[in-house]
Amino acid sequence: MRKLASLVLAAGLLSNSAAWADPVPLDKMDYVGNWQGKDMQLSLSKEGKVEYKRGRPNDQVNLSIDLKGFKGNSFEAGVAFVRTTFVVSKPPQREGGKWKMTVDGVELTRVD
């Protein structure tokens, strides 16, 4: 993920990334919102903007990237030709009155 952050930063300086974002499809609107979990924050706008923060000891990631599309429950994001896949092992669903999903092995709760 650290390599991706460097490449995304470099690519972002060379392009206007807002023009490259794919909007969230209607059947995936449950993904839209602000999500938080242990050492991770993820935000996905309906226009396709992905904000991602992950803080682990000695490894901090803070990205603002564009949605490139969904593959099953998972989704790809990046800038230009540099992409990463957010692996969604448990898609958004209501649990006890709260929205939850699991991304890259981290359980997230929607906070908006």
Side-chain angles (χ1 to χ4, degrees):
M1 190 53 85
R2 196 174 310 148
K3 280 185 186 178
L4 173 69
S6 298
L7 292 172
V8 168
L9 176 62
L13 294 174
L14 298 174
S15 69
N16 177 3
S17 64
W20 301 100
D22 288 345
V24 175
L26 290 176
D27 65 332
K28 300 293 186 184
M29 283 301 199
D30 289 345
Y31 287 73
V32 172
N34 298 309
W35 300 85
Q36 290 186 349
K38 181 168 173 39
D39 301 325
M40 182 192 288
Q41 294 177 355
L42 177 67
S43 178
L44 179 59
S45 74
K46 65 182 177 181
E47 296 81 19
K49 196 62 161 167
V50 178
E51 302 287 334
Y52 174 75
K53 293 180 184 179
R54 190 147 190 192
R56 299 184 214 165
N58 302 317
D59 190 17
Q60 300 288 317
V61 178
N62 188 354
L63 300 174
S64 180
I65 53 181
D66 297 324
L67 178 68
K68 297 299 181 187
F70 281 83
K71 290 188 177 184
N73 292 326
S74 299
F75 58 95
E76 288 188 340
V79 175
F81 300 107
V82 181
R83 295 182 181 208
T84 189
T85 299
F86 290 87
V87 178
V88 179
S89 55
K90 187 171 150 188
Q93 59 188 344
R94 280 200 178 271
E95 290 182 16
K98 295 184 180 185
W99 282 94
K100 296 191 179 272
M101 76 170 161
T102 302
V103 178
D104 293 340
V106 177
E107 183 179 86
L108 302 174
T109 303
R110 193 158 65 195
V111 295
D112 53 2

